[in-house]
């Protein structure tokens, strides 16, 4: 049995237009960049010093980390990317293996590492999305622990200084 072919004009009239969307390239730089393997920007000791300095700066400015804090996110991304897989290379390789004419017809794409773990996904509607690896999660937890411990110590020191000033002026500092 032969099926009749429907022209693309007829499909458009029926509202069943097939749209092709070329695969965009993810950003690997900037605050909202997809993490990819990079060489350490500094030694582990220098990273720790930089994280503590960032916590101090943030505390003095009345903030605590966050995705809307560019200097915090840049440092965090730099710290975590040391443990990231080479997403930039993997994505470039996968896309280059797709036949040119098929690149606009991709509805979903998964990029996996050599162990078969998904490291990135792509869909035309949502774009690229990094899937954090175990190593990245551990590295991010390490960053958060250093940062939060330092931030809290600056807060405690600040509260102790205020308490000392209040006591020396004769007032009583009561906090609930």
């Amino acid at each position: 049995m032969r099926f009749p072919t429907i022209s693309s004009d007829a499909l458009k009239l029926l509202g069943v237009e097939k749209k092709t969307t070329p695969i965009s390239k993810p950003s690997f730089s900037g605050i909202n960049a997809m993490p990819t393997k990079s060489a350490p920007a500094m030694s582990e000791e220098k990273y720790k010093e930089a994280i503590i300095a960032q916590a101090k700066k943030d505390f003095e400015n009345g903030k605590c980390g966050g995705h809307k804090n560019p200097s915090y996110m840049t440092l965090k991304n730099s710290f975590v990317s040391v443990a990231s897989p080479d997403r930039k290379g993997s994505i470039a390789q996968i896309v280059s293996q797709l036949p040119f004419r098929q690149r606009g017809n991709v509805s979903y794409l998964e990029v996996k590492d050599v162990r078969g773990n998904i490291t990135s996904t792509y869909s035309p509607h949502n774009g690229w999305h990094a899937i954090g690896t175990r190593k990245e999660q551990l590295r991010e937890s390490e960053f958060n622990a250093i940062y939060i411990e330092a931030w809290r110590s600056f807060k405690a020191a600040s509260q102790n200084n205020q308490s000392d000033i209040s006591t020396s002026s004769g007032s009583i500092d009561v906090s609930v």
Side-chain angles (χ1 to χ4, degrees), residues 24 107-108 121-130:
S24 62
S107 60
Y108 182 76
T121 61
Y122 171 81
S123 72
H125 300 291
N126 297 319
W128 286 100
H129 180 70

Side-chain angles (χ1 to χ4, degrees), residues 45-168:
E45 187 58 37
K46 293 288 183 189
Y47 264 126
K48 186 172 183 178
E49 291 171 11
I51 295 166
I52 292 169
Q54 182 66 47
K56 182 176 184 181
K57 177 183 156 192
D58 290 349
F59 176 77
E60 289 170 350
N61 291 322
K63 36 183 160 173
C64 182
H67 292 285
K68 294 181 181 179
N69 184 341
S71 54
Y72 168 86
M73 288 305 297
T74 300
L75 180 59
K76 188 174 191 174
N77 290 345
S78 174
F79 186 80
V80 173
S81 71
V82 172
S84 296
D86 181 15
R87 288 186 178 94
K88 186 175 185 176
S90 299
I91 289 170
Q93 181 181 8
I94 293 289
V95 171
S96 71
Q97 290 175 352
L98 289 171
F100 185 74
R101 292 180 182 236
Q102 294 298 317
R103 291 183 191 170
N105 297 325
V106 173
S107 60
Y108 182 76
L109 185 66
E110 289 181 345
V111 179
K112 298 179 181 183
D113 63 13
V114 292
R115 293 188 179 113
N117 299 316
I118 300 171
T119 62
S120 324
T121 61
Y122 171 81
S123 72
H125 300 291
N126 297 319
W128 286 100
H129 180 70
I131 307 298
T133 64
R134 178 86 174 126
K135 286 182 181 180
E136 286 174 302
Q137 292 166 357
L138 291 172
R139 187 95 171 146
E140 186 172 353
S141 292
E142 182 181 351
F143 178 94
N144 291 337
I146 296 167
Y147 180 89
I148 293 299
E149 180 181 348
W151 195 92
R152 285 179 178 162
S153 71
F154 295 124
K155 182 176 181 178
S158 171
Q159 288 174 338
N160 286 341
N161 287 341
Q162 288 177 355
S163 177
D164 291 344
I165 292 170
S166 297
T167 311
S168 65

